[in-house]
């Protein structure tokens, strides 16, 4: 059973940095895509980044150059390093394990592409 647990959210001022972590269990390497999406209060889900099974990474334009995805395979943790944060980055951030046949940046916000999601971690960026 796939289980994802996010951590690392918090409150920062604009221009600051945070690192989110997603601890993963029940995933065989290469069996799922992984990624992060976010959802601000009252708004739709927004794709942030996808890690494909071939290890390619696809970032949303809104975070390119500011966010960096990495993983520690030994610890089974997926990290999202976020720099130069903006108030518009304020949202709940969710880690997702996706079906490799369905999961990509333009579809990752659709529940049909998910195999598992975490409970989310809240990021607040003040101006």
């Amino acid at each position: 059973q796939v289980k994802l647990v996010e951590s690392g959210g918090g409150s920062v001022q604009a221009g600051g940095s945070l690192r989110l972590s997603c601890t993963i269990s029940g995933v065989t390497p290469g069996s799922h895509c992984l990624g992060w999406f976010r959802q601000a209060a009252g708004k739709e889900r927004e794709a942030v980044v996808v890690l494909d099974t071939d290890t390619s990474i696809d970032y949303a334009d809104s975070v390119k150059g500011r966010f960096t995805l990495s993983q520690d395979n030994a610890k089974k943790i997926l990290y999202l390093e976020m720099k130069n944060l903006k108030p518009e980055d304020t949202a709940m951030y969710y880690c997702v394990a996706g079906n490799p046949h369905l999961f990509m940046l333009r579809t990752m916000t659709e529940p049909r592409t998910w195999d598992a999601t975490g409970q989310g971690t809240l990021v607040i960026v003040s101006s």
Side-chain angles (χ1 to χ4, degrees), residues 5-127:
V5 179
E6 302 97 334
S7 61
S11 295
V12 295
Q13 290 192 326
S17 301
L18 281 173
R19 187 177 76 164
L20 306 184
S21 300
C22 175
T23 302
I24 302 166
S25 58
V27 172
T28 303
S31 65
H32 292 78
C33 297
L34 298 169
W36 293 85
F37 71 87
R38 63 189 182 186
Q39 188 166 23
K43 296 188 177 181
E44 295 186 349
R45 301 182 196 99
E46 179 187 7
V48 175
V49 60
V50 167
L51 172 64
D52 206 340
T53 53
D54 64 359
T55 72
S56 61
I57 300 174
D58 197 5
Y59 294 95
D61 288 344
S62 58
V63 306
K64 273 182 186 175
R66 301 187 299 121
F67 290 14
T68 303
L69 187 73
S70 62
Q71 58 179 344
D72 183 326
N73 288 323
K75 295 182 180 179
K76 297 186 178 180
I77 300 176
L78 189 70
Y79 296 107
L80 184 65
E81 187 79 39
M82 307 186 297
K83 297 181 178 181
N84 190 21
L85 283 161
K86 304 175 181 180
E88 51 263 43
D89 294 318
T90 295
M92 189 72 83
Y93 284 71
Y94 296 90
C95 182
V96 186
N99 183 318
H101 302 291
L102 301 172
F103 194 81
M104 59 188 74
L105 197 65
R106 63 179 178 86
T107 63
M108 71 169 306
T109 58
E110 300 172 26
R112 68 181 179 93
T113 69
W114 305 343
D115 290 325
T117 63
Q119 82 289 350
T121 187
L122 181 62
V123 172
I124 299 173
V125 184
S126 57
S127 57

